Amino acid sequence: MSSNGTSSGTAFESAGSASATITVAVIGCGQRGTNYAEYALLNPSSCKVVAIAEPLPARRTSFAKSHLIDSTLVFSTYQELLDASTETIKTIGKKLADAVLVCVQDSMHREVVEKFAEQGYAILCEKPMATGVGDCLSIEKAVKDAGIIFGMGHVLRYSPYTKAVTDVIRSGTLGELVNAVHVEPVGYYHFAHSYVRGNWSKEKESSFSLMTKSCHDIDLLCYWFSPAKPTRISSFGSLQHFRKSAKPKEAYTATKCLECPMERDCAYSAKKLYLDAVMRGNTHWPVSTIVDGIPDIENVTEALKKGPYGKCVYESDNDVCDNQIVNIEFSNGTTASFTMVAYTSLICERQTRLHFTHGEIVGNSNTFTVTDFRTGRSAIHRPKHEGGGHGGGDAGLMRAFVEAVRTGDQGRLGTDVGEVVGSHLCVFAGEKSRKEGRVVDCGEFEREVREEFRSGTKLGESKPSS
């Protein structure tokens, strides 16, 4: 029996043996699905991708080829994969795989997680858990009812850097952690790509940027300060620059970068970001995300002419915050402040200061310096980068998830669905504070939304896709 109630038996047909190869189905083979699945290519004796669902033809074909997936287990939609699983369970009493990786668009997380949880699959869900409070609580219920292993794409927890920082915190060698100052420098062109032109640009179609970009930063702060719980939260932020009123006069009426007379002088030029990158031979992120297949001059040019990624950032219909601060008070009186900002040269290299009663940690996502006030000595720590995304966090999460599935032990992930929901509720409370202009009591907020969920009141659940 695992820590969240998962039992052995029919749940994981190939799991349980020390040498078992865990099989996974990948739902959504974009950037995140590809990054997580890379673990299987590097660790074939530990994990194997046996089925996929991906709507884009070239991406689907390339992914299936890379992982040598049988053509009968290559699907265009998650529903097709689910139907095949239903048939397999019905006819031979066995699922298609031990686990599924849910890497579809955020608004689809709830419906996909719920349906595969019902069939008994272990699930790793990309962040955020869901786009609405009700959806998060619905996923929590589905996971607990099914008694399955559940992992969350809070990859920051699993990098060698974060693990090393966490070890110092937990050791108590610097005394009590009293305060944290944590900054997420999104990056000027990263924000323009993802949150102005991209899939996370509009709250109605995805969610607010504190959730879609920074829910794992808030999760990390909650993790570091645990077992203390967030008690009060306040937040301020806005969409400051990426709007029509900020459009340079020299751009005149241009709505596309390829037609703009001042494109060469614009920091957010789509030609610079995508087309010039391809001309230099760069076919990786972010240009790889705007076409189906390998980027080249022709298909990228076509995408910029006809799609949202070629649109002027001042003419886009984005509405999410480009700068936001969050202040948190915890149950033991400790405090944390978090800043998410678009306007940085650094791309997601978090800057962190942790203040203890007897020392401090100052880090930059790659190295960190520990200073002990009692001895006056400082030491620089350089955790080994294991490669892959998020400083090795992607691989670290997959390793922990595969081990949890293999052993049937939720504890191998270092968290559970209840804790995941808790940090998401903190993010929702922060956004409530920003919108309402007041300090939010976190405990009261959670009690209210859980009561509304139990009573069946709608809490912004997403609609199932057609």
Side-chain angles (χ1 to χ4, degrees):
M1 183 74 70
S2 76
S3 61
N4 76 340
T6 303
S7 60
S8 58
T10 60
F12 310 111
E13 286 81 8
S14 67
S17 167
S19 60
T21 300
I22 299 305
T23 56
V24 301
V26 180
I27 304 174
C29 301
Q31 181 193 5
R32 301 307 303 146
T34 297
N35 286 0
Y36 288 142
E38 185 179 9
Y39 181 82
L41 296 177
L42 298 175
N43 302 273
S45 63
S46 175
C47 178
K48 179 176 175 55
V49 178
V50 297
I52 62 171
E54 166 57 46
L56 296 180
R59 180 180 293 173
R60 184 171 64 243
T61 299
S62 175
F63 195 102
K65 182 178 179 180
S66 296
H67 290 268
L68 303 177
I69 300 171
D70 188 282
S71 60
T72 62
L73 295 174
V74 177
F75 305 97
S76 299
T77 68
Y78 91 82
Q79 187 63 55
E80 291 175 357
L81 191 156
L82 183 70
D83 290 344
S85 176
T86 301
E87 183 62 25
T88 302
I89 293 171
K90 180 180 178 181
T91 55
I92 63 175
K94 187 176 181 180
K95 304 190 304 296
L96 294 178
D98 299 312
V100 295
L101 309 185
V102 178
C103 303
V104 293
Q105 281 300 303
D106 303 343
S107 60
M108 294 175 62
H109 286 181
R110 177 186 59 78
E111 59 179 292
V112 177
V113 169
E114 286 182 343
K115 290 180 179 179
F116 283 90
E118 187 177 358
Q119 290 195 351
Y121 285 90
I123 294 172
L124 174 60
C125 181
E126 172 53 3
K127 66 122 182 121
M129 188 180 202
T131 58
V133 177
D135 285 352
C136 288
L137 297 178
S138 184
I139 287 176
E140 179 186 36
K141 183 178 185 302
V143 168
K144 288 184 175 180
D145 287 350
I148 59 170
I149 297 293
F150 180 78
M152 189 72 240
H154 285 156
V155 292
L156 296 185
R157 285 194 182 206
Y158 299 90
S159 72
Y161 169 86
T162 297
K163 287 182 176 180
V165 170
T166 303
D167 285 345
V168 177
I169 296 172
R170 299 288 186 252
S171 72
T173 55
L174 297 179
E176 180 188 6
L177 176 60
V178 175
N179 170 265
V181 178
H182 185 64
V183 179
E184 156 65 307
V186 182
Y188 71 101
Y189 68 81
H190 179 5
F191 195 92
H193 167 73
S194 298
Y195 302 95
V196 178
R197 296 178 171 121
N199 293 326
W200 300 275
S201 61
K202 293 184 284 295
E203 183 174 347
K204 183 178 180 181
E205 295 181 6
S206 180
S207 192
F208 49 96
S209 54
L210 184 66
M211 178 61 76
T212 59
K213 184 68 186 83
S214 300
C215 66
H216 52 178
D217 292 283
I218 300 298
D219 174 77
L220 188 59
L221 290 171
C222 291
Y223 175 54
W224 279 339
F225 280 92
S226 64
K229 301 291 185 183
T231 54
R232 294 194 298 171
I233 192 165
S234 66
S235 182
F236 307 91
S238 64
L239 173 57
Q240 188 67 24
H241 181 68
F242 294 109
R243 51 187 181 179
K244 193 162 186 175
S245 61
K247 184 177 181 179
K249 294 180 180 179
E250 296 81 0
Y252 297 106
T253 59
T255 60
K256 294 278 188 177
C257 290
L258 294 182
E259 304 166 353
C260 182
M262 65 158 293
E263 172 272 321
R264 295 179 64 180
D265 298 317
C266 180
Y268 306 104
S269 161
K271 181 178 180 296
K272 289 179 183 176
L273 182 56
Y274 307 110
L275 194 55
D276 290 0
V278 170
M279 291 178 177
R280 294 192 300 269
N282 178 14
T283 58
H284 303 295
W285 183 92
V287 68
S288 61
T289 66
I290 75 170
V291 296
D292 180 25
I294 300 174
D296 56 38
I297 293 175
E298 288 73 22
N299 61 18
V300 170
T301 299
E302 187 74 2
L304 299 189
K305 286 181 177 179
K306 296 183 177 181
Y309 292 98
K311 201 169 185 178
C312 170
V313 292
Y314 307 106
E315 295 283 353
S316 298
D317 53 358
N318 56 295
D319 60 14
V320 299
C321 288
D322 57 22
N323 74 105
Q324 189 164 355
I325 59 174
V326 180
N327 300 306
I328 307 171
E329 180 184 62
F330 292 89
S331 54
N332 59 356
T334 56
T335 56
S337 66
F338 169 68
T339 295
M340 180 276 291
V341 61
Y343 309 104
T344 64
S345 56
L346 293 174
I347 307 296
C348 302
E349 293 182 34
R350 275 80 173 174
Q351 311 295 295
T352 306
R353 300 185 68 95
L354 301 174
H355 306 113
F356 301 79
T357 51
H358 300 300
E360 68 178 6
I361 297 176
V362 179
N364 62 10
S365 294
N366 298 300
T367 66
F368 63 93
T369 300
V370 177
T371 300
D372 190 319
F373 298 155
R374 294 161 297 190
T375 64
R377 295 176 181 174
S378 295
I380 299 176
H381 296 251
R382 297 182 174 87
K384 183 179 179 181
H385 193 311
E386 296 182 342
H390 296 95
D394 290 357
L397 171 59
M398 278 297 297
R399 184 183 302 111
F401 178 68
V402 167
E403 185 65 8
V405 176
R406 185 185 66 80
T407 60
D409 181 9
Q410 179 70 36
R412 300 299 179 97
L413 279 157
T415 188
D416 59 26
V417 70
E419 187 177 13
V420 170
V421 169
S423 68
H424 276 73
L425 290 179
C426 189
V427 180
F428 283 114
E431 185 67 356
K432 181 180 180 70
S433 170
R434 184 188 75 85
K435 288 185 173 181
E436 297 183 3
R438 66 181 181 89
V439 175
V440 172
D441 182 300
C442 297
E444 182 179 298
F445 175 75
E446 180 170 358
R447 286 191 294 273
E448 289 177 353
V449 297
R450 286 192 178 279
E451 179 55 36
E452 290 174 2
F453 180 73
R454 283 192 292 268
S455 66
T457 303
K458 296 297 183 181
L459 290 169
E461 296 91 334
S462 59
K463 297 178 181 178
S465 62
S466 57

